[in-house]
Amino acid sequence: MENKSFHVHHSAFGAFSSVVLGKFGKGGGFVLNDVRPPSNNIYIGYKKDGNIKLLPFCNEVENGAEKEFTGEISNTNVKKSIEFFKEEDIERELNWALDKWSVGDFSFSIITPFGNVKDPMSMNKIEKKYSFAPVIFAKITLDNRKGNSDAEMIFGMEGPKRRISETTDNLYLGAASERSYGFGIENCEDVMELSRLDILSSWADGNYQNHGLGRAPSLIFKVPAGTLKTYTIALATYQAGDITTGINSGFYYSDLFDSLEDVLKFALENKAYYINKAEERDKELESSNLNEYRKFLIAHATHSYYASSELLKGKDGRPLWILNEGEYIMMNTFDLTVDHVFWEMKFHPWTIRNTLDLFVERYSYYDQMGMSFTHDMGVSNGFSPKGYSAYELPDLKGCFSYMTHEELLNWILTGAVYALKLQDEEWLSKNIEIFKQCFESLVLRDSNLDGIMDVDSERCRSGSEITTYDSLDVSLGQSRNNLYLGVKTWAAYVVLNCVFINTKLEELSDKAINRAKKVAETIVSKFDSKNNYIPAVFEDGNTSRIIPVVEALIYPYEIDYKEYVSETGMFSEFIKTLKTHINTVLKKGCCIDEVSGGWKLSSTSKNTWNSKIYLCQHVIKEILHIDYGESEVEWDRVHATWQQVGCSEDGATDQVNSDDGLPRGSRLYPRLVTSVLWME
Amino acid sequence: MENKSFHVHHSAFGAFSSVVLGKFGKGGGFVLNDVRPPSNNIYIGYKKDGNIKLLPFCNEVENGAEKEFTGEISNTNVKKSIEFFKEEDIERELNWALDKWSVGDFSFSIITPFGNVKDPMSMNKIEKKYSFAPVIFAKITLDNRKGNSDAEMIFGMEGPKRRISETTDNLYLGAASERSYGFGIENCEDVMELSRLDILSSWADGNYQNHGLGRAPSLIFKVPAGTLKTYTIALATYQAGDITTGINSGFYYSDLFDSLEDVLKFALENKAYYINKAEERDKELESSNLNEYRKFLIAHATHSYYASSELLKGKDGRPLWILNEGEYIMMNTFDLTVDHVFWEMKFHPWTIRNTLDLFVERYSYYDQMGMSFTHDMGVSNGFSPKGYSAYELPDLKGCFSYMTHEELLNWILTGAVYALKLQDEEWLSKNIEIFKQCFESLVLRDSNLDGIMDVDSERCRSGSEITTYDSLDVSLGQSRNNLYLGVKTWAAYVVLNCVFINTKLEELSDKAINRAKKVAETIVSKFDSKNNYIPAVFEDGNTSRIIPVVEALIYPYEIDYKEYVSETGMFSEFIKTLKTHINTVLKKGCCIDEVSGGWKLSSTSKNTWNSKIYLCQHVIKEILHIDYGESEVEWDRVHATWQQVGCSEDGATDQVNSDDGLPRGSRLYPRLVTSVLWME
């Protein structure tokens, strides 16, 4: 990997916690109930022949903490040899589950096991423990087979202060911060704990005396001359009791484990299971025939997705799924749910159902036109009041206005994909009245019956609705007469048609497909045949060219009603027109950035969103059958560079500048898992 | 008050949490399970005629959070008039419970109620709720009686993100951070919540739309033209479940209240009780005839003391008292307990008993000479293993070595003061065997029978014992043949004599007083009659002059055996010698710093400890009857300046440089409550 200095989240399923590591010189560490990178010193390396060498995850090698404490009476004053490995000597490999740094005979990796997760309602307790243990793993290796002297490796970090041998009757060694997070390994004679005020100085001095006041209790691993040693460490979090408000709930795992130590014990006893699970994922991604950039982008997105995941226990102990919105920490933002549906359908579709049900139960509302849904369910572990999001406000025309129309589409599209792709007939039949109400509400928002939304929700008061592209310019931001939203409305009618076919509601299915036809007809009528594109907004002479016009084609395709998105099917002209549009806009100076060569969603904005790029790339290639050949690899390279360089301190980032790839919002974001579509 | 820009802790009894505020330009806010000042923006001020004026507790008036979020689509762009009050216009008053800032017609105060706390084992539930509700208060006032236009006041801070109207059915208004801390007031028409991404800009713009994504939900208070309005706000914390390790325990209050909202409700319903309690304390300190500097030093110390206090529920729900060690967060450091005894005897003596009992039960040990006690009980909510402190290490001669001898003295002295001053005969009789064992152990540590400790604990291995003055030079640091520790040993024998008299153990009482005589005789024999002082260490020709030689006279005095510390009593010569010593050393260039004019504990070290200065001042004046007249006021002024200027960002600080008054350790420290002795 060319660019190797960038942060990655490492997170257990649903634990809303991460170990963030990867940007050289910036430290890292555990973060709980948030995704923002800490900047604690992390100690990973080895000592041999008196010299300590570390991966560059410290801000400094000498804290001077002991001197600070002891004032005139300092105990240590020995010359130290402590240095960082040079960046150019370090190799980094980010696979789907594995994040690995290698330098010479030494390597360190963090392993984030993930995979299919069954509906917890159908699990027994032991299955739940395996699935929801809030734990990830690390491996540390030194090949000292050619060495003539004994060596030692270190793993430790600032944050934890106490040694877990003290709370596990010496069965485990490691470190913890109060009761909430830490790391450990089975006690054995090749491993010891070392806790000191200045951990590196003491280790350099050969001072192995554990100190209760130590600031970063670490593990020291022996690697005798002539041996190669690998040690596997568990890294866990644990938070007991209620942690949310609005709805009072705690972590689902908190009923399965008694304490942090209990999690570590379970994790270490079952580490083979977890490592194997991680290796399965790594093999799966490796064996895909995607280019290296796409493999990276999928792996990177996956790490950020799980960093934002939070499985709570709701009423009666039933699972309550929250996917937090990256740096903004909004809960179950519906605009993200609709994009996460591809990921969740692959690995844990019950989380989609869980979210859709809570949207109906608590986060739906009725305006003058009928039913719709809120933008989100709250922020920072605070569930917002029934019927209201944290995000939306009245009297605005831009950011923070209501997304009534788009969230209505999101429930329809997400619900249809869930129900029809998974063939969950029971859920579909239980929710058919909701689909009907949504259909009714959707139709009413088009007062002139041209298929395009033209009625703003009364909740906007003096304002007007916006789309999920809230911080983009009018080309994608405004809802009324918006091309992107028009095609998405078309898709909603199409999938409603499919829903009603599946529920044998013939009249409604006809009505839905007729509405879809009307939308298609209107959009085709907006085609500018002189310039070969469809303007982004059908108002005020707008001439923006946008890529996300094709975004919504994915939904009929995903539920296997491919004839609707075919150039030879019922919507032949519509699909052909969209294809022409794409062929027009995907050019340098239009929707290909002239500076970077990367994709820009709108010709009139530098603000481009990576999750949507990936989604549209997939649609354009697989549904519209446009093959850009080697250009695709170059685009992927640019998009990977944005993440690895421009956003290196920000984890997976959605909103970047299309020219320099620098982050402009939606940092540390889960939505980039739309890239999983490439694996289909 | 001349110097008004300094941080002060504001903390409820036993809640181990503070609102830190006071250093201009440094922000402040809530801190939980720690004492270190946060640097969040705090918004306190008013808006009148479109102009906002704030106390200077913000780092900035414009976060730009909304612009950051909305990117190209910003909603607000109005000119703002936001400014800080000038420092010279602000008056500050720190009373015992009240901390108040006034400027013109506006004032803001934080009220920290405290007072006598009965043994919780003898309280009913409602008494416990009153005593242990983790809450303090604030008052905000604007006199707009002469105003022609309506005004509004603001109170808010970064940290909280959610509005508590949402979790209290609109009964209360305020803000909270997750489930753990926040502030509130009864809902009424003159008050509203305002939550915005950029709170000040929105308020300046007259935008009162609450936003679920707001970063610092604030209270806005109406002050109509022609009125004077004062509003009282409750500030509370709440942490449920176990929070410690080693011994698993949670906050004592967590069984008394269900949630943060429950605490706020109780606090507001009973605010008159708390405000009254605070006013009683303020009157008590005001009516003392201490000079203004001493009043300040007592008030400042009191705030830091409660900031470190932590009442847990231990086994069977019984109270478990922890006094944390300021910035070091060590738990029940015994060297501090022995100095806190004066404070705790006045307000809540059961906390002393609680600590002594836990020292016996879990933190005592036996070395080659007999029983002693650990330095502390752990650090940062982690109880250390049975029989071991977090602090002490073997094989050292300086800081972090064992304090076996001194901790033995500390149990004897603290136990005697508790039992004899309170006349708790039940406890005394239950612990008489411990006193006997301590006596036996103490005698054995003096192998040449001259009364002075000369045997280091075997726990030191190759090292040697130190005193509580761990970061001072050898004059006070080394235990063996140490004058300070010698007098403290004398005091221990004296109080043991009193203990044995009270328990009618005549033989032991005689033996104890004989040992005391031997110590006194030895110390007198070390008197250098040429230079009129006693050297600090009876070794290696040491010539340091120290003040704390007289520290331990306080213990016989406190238990009302004043004849032992009288120039005309049994120890006449000893006391006279100490008095001569003090008269010699308390001179400029010796133990009065030539630069600052403040006290320095040792002639050979710049490191001086304020808590010990206060204690020795009291002993010298009240026991040795040396009256320094106006010099005392000047010394007090210097010592107050050290806290207000040199240590302004560090809260009450124990260790400072005697020349420039800058902090050198023991910041945010509880021990300065030795100053309460001045009130006797």
Side-chain angles (χ1 to χ4, degrees), chain A residues 11 57 150 187 195 380 455 488 496:
Chain A
S11 316
F57 296 133
D150 294 347
N187 195 349
S195 182
S380 295
V455 180
K488 196 164 172 177
L496 280 169

Side-chain angles (χ1 to χ4, degrees), chain A residues 68 179 209 211 244 391 394, chain B residues 179 209 211 244 391 394 667:
Chain A
E68 158 68 21
R179 303 180 66 88
Q209 200 179 44
H211 196 183
T244 60
Y391 175 96
Chain B
R179 303 180 67 89
Q209 198 179 48
H211 195 182
T244 61
Y391 176 96
R667 296 167 186 85

Side-chain angles (χ1 to χ4, degrees), chain B residues 176-187:
Chain B
S177 174
E178 303 197 341
R179 303 180 67 89
S180 63
Y181 70 86
F183 57 87
I185 190 167
E186 302 89 343
N187 194 348

Side-chain angles (χ1 to χ4, degrees), chain B residues 261-541:
Chain B
E261 280 79 354
D262 195 24
V263 176
L264 286 170
K265 180 172 179 288
F266 181 85
L268 290 165
E269 283 170 354
N270 296 287
K271 64 186 170 193
Y273 166 84
Y274 289 104
I275 302 295
N276 180 56
K277 192 166 159 185
E279 286 173 354
E280 280 176 13
R281 287 294 84 63
D282 286 342
K283 275 182 207 136
E284 187 180 343
L285 185 64
E286 270 167 23
S287 64
S288 74
N289 50 15
L290 298 171
N291 68 49
E292 59 175 318
Y293 307 113
R294 292 203 162 189
K295 285 179 181 167
F296 159 75
L297 289 169
I298 290 170
H300 195 45
T302 302
H303 283 80
S304 275
Y305 172 83
Y306 283 116
S308 283
S309 72
E310 183 171 9
L311 185 62
L312 302 168
K313 56 185 162 74
K315 272 184 303 190
D316 314 323
R318 296 168 73 93
L320 196 178
W321 175 252
I322 301 297
L323 209 296
N324 292 286
E325 192 187 338
E327 65 168 326
Y328 306 127
I329 330 184
M330 279 181 277
M331 300 153 79
N332 285 338
T333 302
F334 214 163
D335 326 14
L336 272 68
T337 307
V338 72
D339 287 324
H340 295 156
V341 70
F342 318 112
W343 180 273
E344 295 183 14
M345 281 305 292
K346 181 171 166 70
F347 289 112
H348 33 77
W350 57 270
T351 58
I352 305 173
R353 188 189 63 223
N354 194 286
T355 304
L356 289 168
D357 288 349
L358 191 57
F359 267 114
V360 170
E361 183 190 321
R362 186 175 163 102
Y363 292 103
S364 57
Y365 62 89
Y366 293 85
D367 66 7
Q368 82 276 26
M369 294 301 161
M371 187 179 210
S372 188
F373 303 89
T374 60
H375 168 272
D376 59 71
M377 300 186 179
V379 62
S380 295
N381 280 335
F383 283 94
S384 51
K386 197 165 168 19
Y388 286 90
S389 68
Y391 176 96
E392 290 157 313
L393 290 176
D395 300 319
L396 296 176
K397 293 182 199 304
C399 201
F400 306 130
S401 184
Y402 277 89
M403 297 190 192
T404 309
H405 188 87
E406 181 153 18
E407 305 311 356
L408 177 60
L409 301 178
N410 287 339
W411 200 94
I412 295 166
L413 294 165
T414 308
V417 170
Y418 169 77
L420 300 184
K421 189 166 183 180
L422 198 72
Q423 298 187 296
D424 186 342
E425 286 167 22
E426 187 189 334
W427 184 84
L428 181 56
S429 111
K430 203 183 284 177
N431 284 279
I432 193 62
E433 288 307 317
I434 305 296
F435 278 106
K436 286 185 196 170
Q437 283 194 54
C438 287
F439 181 35
E440 208 172 307
S441 175
L442 190 55
V443 169
L444 288 172
R445 286 165 208 278
D446 165 23
S447 65
N448 65 2
L449 297 174
D450 66 352
I452 304 295
M453 176 269 193
D454 47 34
V455 180
D456 288 302
S457 172
E458 66 187 0
R459 281 204 171 188
C460 295
R461 298 204 304 232
S462 70
S464 50
E465 284 183 37
I466 57 169
T467 78
T468 186
Y469 292 102
D470 56 356
S471 63
L472 261 151
D473 73 358
V474 69
S475 66
L476 278 162
Q478 159 187 323
S479 290
R480 250 183 307 104
N481 289 320
N482 180 298
L483 172 60
Y484 149 74
L485 210 58
V487 180
K488 196 164 173 177
T489 304
W490 168 85
Y493 284 130
V494 167
V495 302
L496 280 169
N497 163 265
C498 308
V499 162
F500 295 137
I501 289 172
N502 274 272
T503 47
K504 304 189 172 45
L505 294 165
E506 205 175 327
E507 195 183 328
L508 283 173
S509 72
D510 288 351
K511 200 174 158 195
I513 207 66
N514 286 331
R515 295 309 306 152
K517 286 178 184 164
K518 187 69 210 169
V519 183
E521 188 186 307
T522 301
I523 288 172
V524 169
S525 79
K526 305 292 182 186
F527 183 73
D528 175 341
S529 54
K530 187 173 158 210
N531 298 300
N532 274 327
Y533 83 107
I534 317 168
V537 184
F538 313 142
E539 274 184 17
D540 299 333

Side-chain angles (χ1 to χ4, degrees), chain A residues 33 36 66 68-75 161-163 166-167 178-179 196-197 209-215 242-249 261 325 327-330 376 378-385 389-400 461 469-474 604-607 655 664-665 667, chain B residues 33 36 66 68-75 161-163 166-167 178-179 196-197 209-215 242-249 261 325 327-330 376 378-385 389-400 461 469-474 604-607 655 664-665 667:
Chain A
N33 302 329
R36 283 171 288 193
E66 185 167 320
E68 158 68 21
F69 200 115
T70 58
E72 294 169 357
I73 315 297
S74 187
N75 291 307
K161 284 189 174 178
R162 65 180 181 87
R163 293 179 291 128
E166 293 186 353
T167 45
E178 303 196 343
R179 303 180 66 88
R196 302 286 302 170
L197 281 167
Q209 200 179 44
N210 272 304
H211 196 183
L213 297 183
R215 301 250 166 120
D242 281 349
I243 59 150
T244 60
T245 55
I247 298 171
N248 293 331
S249 63
E261 280 79 353
E325 193 188 338
E327 65 168 325
Y328 306 126
I329 329 184
M330 280 180 275
D376 58 72
V379 62
S380 295
N381 280 335
F383 282 94
S384 52
S389 68
Y391 175 96
E392 290 156 311
L393 291 174
D395 300 319
L396 295 176
K397 293 182 199 305
C399 203
F400 306 130
R461 297 202 307 231
Y469 292 101
D470 56 357
S471 63
L472 261 152
D473 73 358
V474 69
T604 51
S605 176
K606 267 198 353 182
N607 185 353
Q655 299 187 32
R664 51 183 302 152
R667 296 167 186 84
Chain B
N33 302 327
R36 281 170 289 192
E66 184 168 322
E68 159 67 22
F69 200 115
T70 58
E72 294 167 356
I73 314 298
S74 187
N75 292 308
K161 283 189 175 176
R162 64 180 182 88
R163 294 180 290 128
E166 293 186 353
T167 46
E178 303 197 341
R179 303 180 67 89
R196 300 288 301 172
L197 281 167
Q209 198 179 48
N210 271 305
H211 195 182
L213 296 183
R215 301 247 167 121
D242 282 349
I243 60 149
T244 61
T245 55
I247 297 172
N248 294 331
S249 64
E261 280 79 354
E325 192 187 338
E327 65 168 326
Y328 306 127
I329 330 184
M330 279 181 277
D376 59 71
V379 62
S380 295
N381 280 335
F383 283 94
S384 51
S389 68
Y391 176 96
E392 290 157 313
L393 290 176
D395 300 319
L396 296 176
K397 293 182 199 304
C399 201
F400 306 130
R461 298 204 304 232
Y469 292 102
D470 56 356
S471 63
L472 261 151
D473 73 358
V474 69
T604 50
S605 177
K606 270 200 345 184
N607 186 353
Q655 299 187 31
R664 51 184 302 152
R667 296 167 186 85

Side-chain angles (χ1 to χ4, degrees), chain A residues 545-590:
Chain A
R545 276 84 163 155
I546 59 166
I547 296 176
V549 56
V550 299
E551 193 181 308
L553 301 187
I554 192 67
Y555 303 104
Y557 184 82
E558 277 294 297
I559 57 174
D560 216 22
Y561 280 77
K562 290 180 180 152
E563 70 275 20
Y564 289 141
V565 293
S566 158
E567 285 178 73
T568 58
M570 182 190 292
F571 294 101
S572 167
E573 195 186 353
F574 176 63
I575 300 299
K576 282 179 181 163
T577 305
L578 296 182
K579 192 165 173 176
T580 305
H581 172 96
I582 289 298
N583 278 323
T584 301
V585 306
L586 268 184
K587 288 190 184 129
K588 275 216 172 175
C590 187

